[in-house]
Amino acid sequence: MTTTVHKQVLIKARALIADPDHWTRNVLACNAAGYSVHWCDPSATKWCAMGAIYSSAYELVGNKKEATRIGKEVARRLAPIWFCRSLTTLNDARGHAVVLARFDRALAAA
């Protein structure tokens, strides 16, 4: 990671999904009732890895377009794994523990 913002996003995103009860698959975010919501919706209580990254970037910059741009940059650095084409695939196919381990490796390298 080259910038402090990227590291801050990683730290915040990992904290959002650290508890498996706040992590989800197959949608970027959902509310307490389990319905899909936008990743920056105040009712969101669960996020996938990508949704958590976008949400964390939005919390830092306050702009959806900029948060999306930053989120994609952060995700590109997390996703280059031999068995996985994207962070979303990693999240949905490999599970919570693998996602957290990937965040931890990226943070250690930051």
Side-chain angles (χ1 to χ4, degrees), residues 10 21 23 35 39 56 58-59 62 69 71 81 89 91:
L10 276 174
D21 290 337
W23 174 77
Y35 294 107
W39 47 261
S56 298
Y58 181 71
E59 185 181 327
R69 185 191 66 75
I81 305 168
T89 303
N91 184 89

Side-chain angles (χ1 to χ4, degrees), residues 47-64:
W47 299 264
C48 73
M50 197 68 230
I53 288 171
Y54 285 148
S55 181
S56 298
Y58 181 71
E59 185 181 327
L60 288 171
V61 299
N63 178 287
K64 288 181 190 177

Side-chain angles (χ1 to χ4, degrees), residues 24 27-39 41 43-46:
T24 191
V27 295
L28 291 174
C30 59
N31 61 21
Y35 294 107
S36 177
V37 296
H38 196 273
W39 47 261
D41 188 311
S43 73
T45 59
K46 295 181 179 189

Side-chain angles (χ1 to χ4, degrees), residues 4 14 21 30 36 49 53 55 60-61 63 72 74-76 78 85 92 94 100 104 109-110:
T4 307
R14 192 201 184 286
D21 290 337
C30 59
S36 177
I53 288 171
S55 181
L60 288 171
V61 299
N63 178 287
K72 287 178 181 178
V74 171
R76 271 194 297 272
L78 281 170
R85 292 183 186 209
D92 294 349
R94 302 291 296 201
L100 291 184
D104 292 342

